[in-house]
Amino acid sequence: MADNARAKRLADLIREVVAQKLQRGIKDPRLGSHVTITDTRVTGDLREATVFYTVYGDEEERKAAAAGLESAKGVLRSAVGAAAGVKFTPTLTFVADALPDTARTIEDLLDKARQSDEKVREASAGASYAAGADPYRKPADDEADDTTDTDGDAAE
Protein backbone atom coordinates (compact mmCIF):
# COMPACT_ATOMS: atom_id res chain seq x y z
CA MET A 1 0.00 0.00 0.00
CA ALA A 2 1.30 3.44 -0.92
CA ASP A 3 1.79 6.21 1.58
CA ASN A 4 -0.62 9.13 1.71
CA ALA A 5 1.93 11.60 0.34
CA ARG A 6 2.36 9.52 -2.82
CA ALA A 7 -1.41 9.23 -3.26
CA LYS A 8 -1.74 13.01 -2.81
CA ARG A 9 0.98 13.69 -5.39
CA LEU A 10 -0.66 11.31 -7.86
CA ALA A 11 -4.06 12.92 -7.24
CA ASP A 12 -2.60 16.38 -7.94
CA LEU A 13 -0.96 15.10 -11.10
CA ILE A 14 -4.19 13.49 -12.31
CA ARG A 15 -6.10 16.72 -11.68
CA GLU A 16 -3.59 18.75 -13.69
CA VAL A 17 -3.34 16.27 -16.58
CA VAL A 18 -7.10 15.84 -16.91
CA ALA A 19 -7.70 19.59 -16.78
CA GLN A 20 -5.05 20.28 -19.42
CA LYS A 21 -6.27 17.47 -21.66
CA LEU A 22 -9.87 18.72 -21.41
CA GLN A 23 -8.74 22.22 -22.27
CA ARG A 24 -6.43 21.38 -25.16
CA GLY A 25 -6.69 17.76 -26.25
CA ILE A 26 -10.34 16.73 -26.33
CA LYS A 27 -12.39 18.03 -29.23
CA ASP A 28 -15.77 16.96 -27.84
CA PRO A 29 -18.17 19.95 -27.98
CA ARG A 30 -19.93 18.68 -24.84
CA LEU A 31 -16.72 19.35 -22.91
CA GLY A 32 -16.29 22.98 -23.80
CA SER A 33 -14.67 25.53 -21.53
CA HIS A 34 -17.52 25.26 -19.02
CA VAL A 35 -16.15 22.08 -17.33
CA THR A 36 -13.85 22.64 -14.35
CA ILE A 37 -11.93 19.96 -12.48
CA THR A 38 -12.25 20.83 -8.79
CA ASP A 39 -10.65 17.92 -6.91
CA THR A 40 -9.15 14.46 -7.33
CA ARG A 41 -8.86 11.67 -4.80
CA VAL A 42 -6.87 8.47 -5.18
CA THR A 43 -7.33 5.32 -3.12
CA GLY A 44 -4.49 4.15 -0.91
CA ASP A 45 -3.50 1.37 -3.31
CA LEU A 46 -3.34 3.86 -6.23
CA ARG A 47 -5.76 1.76 -8.30
CA GLU A 48 -8.77 4.07 -8.47
CA ALA A 49 -9.06 7.82 -8.85
CA THR A 50 -12.19 9.89 -8.37
CA VAL A 51 -12.22 13.15 -10.31
CA PHE A 52 -14.68 15.80 -9.15
CA TYR A 53 -15.86 18.36 -11.67
CA THR A 54 -18.30 21.23 -11.98
CA VAL A 55 -20.15 22.44 -15.03
CA TYR A 56 -21.13 26.03 -15.62
CA GLY A 57 -24.60 25.89 -17.11
CA ASP A 58 -28.01 24.35 -16.75
CA GLU A 59 -28.99 20.74 -16.08
CA GLU A 60 -28.90 19.79 -19.77
CA GLU A 61 -25.30 20.97 -20.09
CA ARG A 62 -24.37 19.01 -16.93
CA LYS A 63 -25.80 15.81 -18.40
CA ALA A 64 -24.01 16.43 -21.71
CA ALA A 65 -20.72 17.06 -19.89
CA ALA A 66 -21.12 13.85 -17.86
CA ALA A 67 -21.70 11.88 -21.07
CA GLY A 68 -18.69 13.58 -22.69
CA LEU A 69 -16.43 12.75 -19.76
CA GLU A 70 -17.53 9.11 -19.83
CA SER A 71 -16.78 8.87 -23.55
CA ALA A 72 -13.36 10.52 -23.11
CA LYS A 73 -12.42 8.40 -20.08
CA GLY A 74 -10.04 6.14 -22.07
CA VAL A 75 -8.15 9.04 -23.68
CA LEU A 76 -7.86 10.79 -20.31
CA ARG A 77 -6.61 7.63 -18.60
CA SER A 78 -3.99 7.15 -21.31
CA ALA A 79 -2.80 10.73 -20.81
CA VAL A 80 -2.61 10.17 -17.04
CA GLY A 81 -0.63 6.95 -17.56
CA ALA A 82 1.86 8.68 -19.86
CA ALA A 83 2.36 11.54 -17.41
CA ALA A 84 2.43 9.53 -14.18
CA GLY A 85 4.81 6.74 -15.12
CA VAL A 86 3.33 4.36 -12.57
CA LYS A 87 3.08 0.59 -12.95
CA PHE A 88 -0.71 0.61 -12.98
CA THR A 89 -2.65 3.63 -14.25
CA PRO A 90 -5.60 4.30 -11.94
CA THR A 91 -9.11 3.91 -13.30
CA LEU A 92 -10.89 7.23 -13.50
CA THR A 93 -14.35 7.86 -12.12
CA PHE A 94 -15.97 11.22 -12.76
CA VAL A 95 -18.31 12.62 -10.12
CA ALA A 96 -20.20 15.90 -10.34
CA ASP A 97 -19.06 18.07 -7.45
CA ALA A 98 -21.90 19.08 -5.13
CA LEU A 99 -19.96 22.01 -3.69
CA PRO A 100 -21.55 24.75 -5.83
CA ASP A 101 -25.06 23.52 -5.02
CA THR A 102 -24.22 23.32 -1.34
CA ALA A 103 -22.74 26.82 -1.41
CA ARG A 104 -25.86 28.13 -3.14
CA THR A 105 -28.06 26.51 -0.48
CA ILE A 106 -25.98 28.03 2.32
CA GLU A 107 -26.16 31.46 0.69
CA ASP A 108 -29.95 31.17 0.43
CA LEU A 109 -30.19 30.22 4.11
CA LEU A 110 -27.95 33.14 5.10
CA ASP A 111 -30.15 35.52 3.08
CA LYS A 112 -33.25 34.22 4.89
CA ALA A 113 -31.51 34.73 8.24
CA ARG A 114 -30.55 38.29 7.29
CA GLN A 115 -34.14 39.05 6.31
CA SER A 116 -35.42 37.58 9.57
CA ASP A 117 -32.90 39.62 11.55
CA GLU A 118 -33.98 42.75 9.71
CA LYS A 119 -37.65 42.08 10.58
CA VAL A 120 -36.75 41.63 14.25
CA ARG A 121 -34.66 44.83 14.15
CA GLU A 122 -37.59 46.76 12.65
CA ALA A 123 -40.05 45.35 15.20
CA SER A 124 -37.81 46.25 18.12
CA ALA A 125 -37.02 49.78 16.91
CA GLY A 126 -39.62 51.53 19.11
CA ALA A 127 -39.80 48.95 21.88
CA SER A 128 -38.64 49.54 25.44
CA TYR A 129 -37.29 47.15 28.02
CA ALA A 130 -39.83 45.35 30.22
CA ALA A 131 -37.92 46.07 33.43
CA GLY A 132 -36.63 49.50 32.52
CA ALA A 133 -33.38 50.46 30.90
CA ASP A 134 -31.24 48.84 33.63
CA PRO A 135 -32.94 45.84 35.25
CA TYR A 136 -30.02 45.00 37.57
CA ARG A 137 -29.93 45.84 41.26
CA LYS A 138 -27.38 48.33 42.50
CA PRO A 139 -25.84 48.66 45.97
CA ALA A 140 -28.01 51.74 46.67
CA ASP A 141 -31.11 49.63 46.04
CA ASP A 142 -29.87 46.99 48.50
CA GLU A 143 -29.54 49.60 51.29
CA ALA A 144 -33.12 50.76 50.67
CA ASP A 145 -34.29 47.14 50.92
CA ASP A 146 -32.48 46.70 54.26
CA THR A 147 -34.66 49.41 55.84
CA THR A 148 -37.82 47.27 55.48
CA ASP A 149 -38.71 44.32 57.67
CA THR A 150 -39.76 40.95 56.36
CA ASP A 151 -43.42 41.87 56.86
CA GLY A 152 -43.00 44.97 54.66
CA ASP A 153 -43.12 47.56 57.47
CA ALA A 154 -40.37 50.12 57.80
CA ALA A 155 -37.69 49.27 60.37
CA GLU A 156 -37.65 51.29 63.58
Side-chain angles (χ1 to χ4, degrees), residues 33-36 54-58 61-62:
S33 61
H34 54 275
V35 175
T36 303
T54 60
V55 178
Y56 183 74
D58 59 358
E61 291 176 348
R62 289 183 190 130

Side-chain angles (χ1 to χ4, degrees), residues 5-151:
R6 185 172 181 202
K8 175 73 172 130
R9 283 193 312 268
L10 183 60
D12 291 342
L13 177 72
I14 291 171
R15 186 181 70 240
E16 290 175 15
V17 168
V18 169
Q20 288 176 356
K21 193 70 173 171
L22 285 175
Q23 190 176 29
R24 296 190 188 106
I26 306 289
K27 303 274 191 235
D28 193 341
R30 299 175 290 185
L31 300 174
S33 61
H34 54 275
V35 175
T36 303
I37 304 300
T38 56
D39 192 18
T40 306
R41 295 186 186 145
V42 178
T43 58
D45 61 357
L46 307 179
R47 296 281 183 163
E48 297 176 12
T50 305
V51 180
F52 295 93
Y53 67 95
T54 60
V55 178
Y56 183 74
D58 59 358
E59 190 62 34
E60 183 178 316
E61 291 176 348
R62 289 183 190 130
K63 288 180 183 178
L69 286 170
E70 285 300 316
S71 69
K73 188 184 286 190
V75 174
L76 294 172
R77 186 172 180 218
S78 296
V80 167
V86 292
K87 184 176 182 180
F88 180 81
T89 303
T91 58
L92 301 178
T93 305
F94 293 97
V95 177
D97 198 352
L99 185 66
D101 295 332
T102 304
R104 191 175 309 114
T105 302
I106 290 173
E107 284 297 323
D108 291 343
L109 290 173
L110 288 173
D111 286 340
K112 287 180 184 177
R114 284 186 201 105
Q115 291 172 358
S116 175
D117 287 348
E118 186 61 33
K119 287 179 184 176
V120 169
R121 202 172 295 118
E122 289 173 6
S124 65
S128 62
Y129 294 103
D134 189 10
Y136 299 104
R137 297 179 71 174
K138 295 183 177 48
D141 294 340
D142 289 338
E143 291 173 7
D145 287 342
D146 290 340
T147 59
T148 57
D149 287 337
T150 56
D151 59 354

